[in-house]
Amino acid sequence: MVYETGNRTIDDAVERVLAGERLDRRDGLALMAQPVEELAAGADYVRSQLGDDTVDACSIVNAKAGNCAEDCGFCAQSVHFDTGIETYGFLDPEEILEAAKRAERDGAQRFGIVVAEKGVSKKQRPEEWQEVLRAIRLVRDETDVEVDASLGILTREEAEILADEGINHYNHNIETSPNFFPEIVDTHSFEDRVETLELAKDVGMDLCAGVILGMGESPTDRVDAAIALQDIGVSSLPVNILNPVAGTALGDELGDSADITTPEIIKTIAVYRLLHPEARVRLTGGREVNLDTDEQHLPFEAGADGILTGDYLTTGGQSPGDDIEVMEEAGMEPNMEANEFDKAAVKARTGEDPAEADDVETAAGTATSNAELDD
């Protein structure tokens, strides 16, 4: 053992992970109880030994916004909640291509086409399905980014078609543990989500599936979610932190703050790294509102090595240049394996408001709703 924190529980876990052993639920619960500084150091060491000191960036487009029939308690796009967001049908594929090109220029390695509904249905909405495929083909053929998709629950036929079209990662978050999931969603089950992930994996797509922290779940739920993702087998694990939206069930329950502290966020990232040593542990939505500016580097010093850059589905993010500065503060560099972008040009736009830029838009400002919420 080359590296030691002096904490026997953490040091034993690090040694076992680096020897190729898979940690289990008992390990995860024991690690979650350890001091945050030592836990972060051990997880970061594992990342440094198994990774390449780069942060992989993805960007998304909200390709179809609002009017979703599902009742996910965190989601501003559910028809069950009055949140005042902009709604629209599936975007013109050319608009999606333009968003992908901007994402590529701003350093994204992968680009996700996302819709707000239970599932894009080839059978029920064949014209929309064809537009989805056309958008995938445009991005695949006219950019160098990997094309990902988050299209809800799939049939096997749909999954096979998406794999044939070159979808790299299929995103379908499990959101939380199997035990806590019914507290958040009534209109579909945890098992429904797992079934789609298994279908996507079975036909050859890699999996991007993760969680939302701070919805009222316990530390045990956070571990149980990570164990469920172990069983599924993911290569990208997005970690969202709840940004409560007024009008949603969780927004009304929790107010404007997620139910989680900064040390708990860092602990969870570190435990996820140790339970998923080979995956990209990706910091995604809600980080800007739940972590102070001078704290945003901490997850990348606790095992994180991925990021969702730009805007989210209905809320704004920070600029890709800001994200690069966060990476560098943690001693890491952007991944350029798929996209050798101009890092200096991206950083030069740090802090700009995309809406006020005269001739430059970030990947963030394209095709997301970014609507002002009603008070």
Side-chain angles (χ1 to χ4, degrees):
M1 182 85 181
V2 176
Y3 176 85
E4 292 185 353
T5 66
N7 180 303
R8 181 177 298 179
T9 299
I10 297 170
D11 291 345
D12 174 68
V14 169
E15 185 171 14
R16 289 162 58 203
V17 168
L18 293 179
E21 184 176 340
R22 173 169 145 168
L23 303 186
D24 60 18
R25 182 177 187 268
R26 182 176 178 179
D27 297 315
L29 293 173
L31 288 165
M32 196 70 85
Q34 303 310 308
V36 64
E37 293 85 359
E38 296 167 5
L39 183 60
D44 190 53
Y45 183 72
V46 167
R47 186 224 28 95
S48 72
Q49 296 303 295
L50 300 181
D52 58 5
D53 291 326
T54 69
V55 177
D56 183 82
C58 67
S59 185
I60 58 175
V61 61
N62 195 357
K64 182 180 181 181
N67 295 320
C68 179
E70 304 306 293
D71 69 350
C72 307
F74 52 83
C75 185
Q77 302 193 79
S78 170
V79 74
H80 295 265
F81 309 128
D82 182 11
T83 60
I85 68 160
E86 176 189 2
T87 63
Y88 49 83
F90 194 78
L91 291 171
D92 187 307
E94 295 288 348
E95 291 183 73
I96 293 172
L97 174 61
E98 289 306 309
K101 288 180 176 179
R102 288 189 288 271
E104 180 178 39
R105 186 209 60 220
D106 282 341
Q109 298 291 293
R110 52 191 70 255
F111 178 77
I113 300 171
V114 184
V115 303
E117 58 187 335
K118 185 173 185 178
V120 173
S121 176
K122 177 179 181 292
K123 181 178 180 180
Q124 295 179 9
R125 293 180 295 280
E127 293 182 0
E128 180 179 275
W129 175 257
Q130 289 303 317
E131 290 293 274
V132 170
L133 298 185
R134 189 160 77 88
I136 292 168
R137 291 164 188 161
L138 283 171
V139 176
R140 180 195 67 200
D141 295 344
E142 299 193 29
T143 73
D144 290 327
V145 295
E146 301 284 0
V147 190
D148 298 341
S150 181
L151 306 174
I153 290 172
L154 299 175
T155 66
R156 175 168 290 276
E157 180 189 13
E158 290 164 351
E160 289 173 344
I161 292 170
L162 293 174
D164 288 343
E165 291 289 346
I167 290 296
N168 187 270
H169 279 78
Y170 194 76
N171 168 256
H172 201 51
N173 290 336
I174 62 169
E175 314 300 7
T176 189
S177 71
N179 181 64
F180 193 68
F181 189 90
E183 302 296 317
I184 304 301
V185 185
D186 283 328
T187 49
H188 61 272
S189 69
F190 185 88
E191 290 72 24
D192 289 334
R193 290 184 176 250
V194 172
E195 182 179 352
T196 281
L197 287 165
E198 290 176 340
L199 272 178
K201 185 176 183 179
D202 191 48
V203 300
M205 289 183 278
D206 288 333
L207 300 184
C208 173
V211 300
I212 303 174
L213 305 180
M215 298 191 293
E217 78 286 347
S218 68
T220 297
D221 287 314
R222 295 166 196 157
V223 171
D224 285 345
I227 296 301
L229 291 168
Q230 272 188 346
D231 295 338
I232 295 164
V234 300
S235 60
S236 177
L237 198 170
V239 181
N240 298 276
I241 311 162
L242 182 69
N243 181 3
V245 175
T248 63
L250 287 175
D252 292 345
E253 177 183 342
L254 299 176
D256 57 3
S257 299
D259 187 15
I260 191 168
T261 66
T262 296
E264 289 174 323
I265 293 169
I266 305 307
K267 275 191 177 187
T268 304
I269 292 284
V271 170
Y272 282 16
R273 166 52 60 209
L274 293 167
L275 292 175
H276 291 267
E278 304 290 346
R280 287 278 184 181
V281 178
R282 191 176 303 276
L283 195 63
T284 51
R287 66 183 187 273
E288 301 91 346
V289 297
N290 288 285
L291 296 171
D292 291 339
T293 301
D294 61 358
E295 294 175 331
Q296 287 193 34
H297 64 98
L298 295 176
F300 299 101
E301 296 171 6
D305 60 353
I307 197 167
L308 196 165
T309 191
D311 283 355
Y312 308 115
L313 295 177
T314 62
T315 58
Q318 63 191 23
S319 78
D322 288 316
D323 288 337
I324 291 174
E325 291 192 351
V326 170
M327 299 173 200
E328 292 178 337
E329 187 173 358
M332 302 176 74
E333 287 289 327
N335 181 18
M336 293 192 180
E337 184 176 340
N339 177 12
E340 294 187 7
F341 64 99
D342 186 340
K343 186 175 75 168
V346 176
K347 289 179 67 177
R349 298 193 293 272
T350 296
E352 279 190 349
D353 181 348
E356 296 179 358
D358 292 331
D359 57 355
V360 177
E361 290 181 337
T362 68
T366 58
T368 53
S369 68
N370 289 327
E372 292 290 330
L373 300 183
D374 295 334
D375 292 332

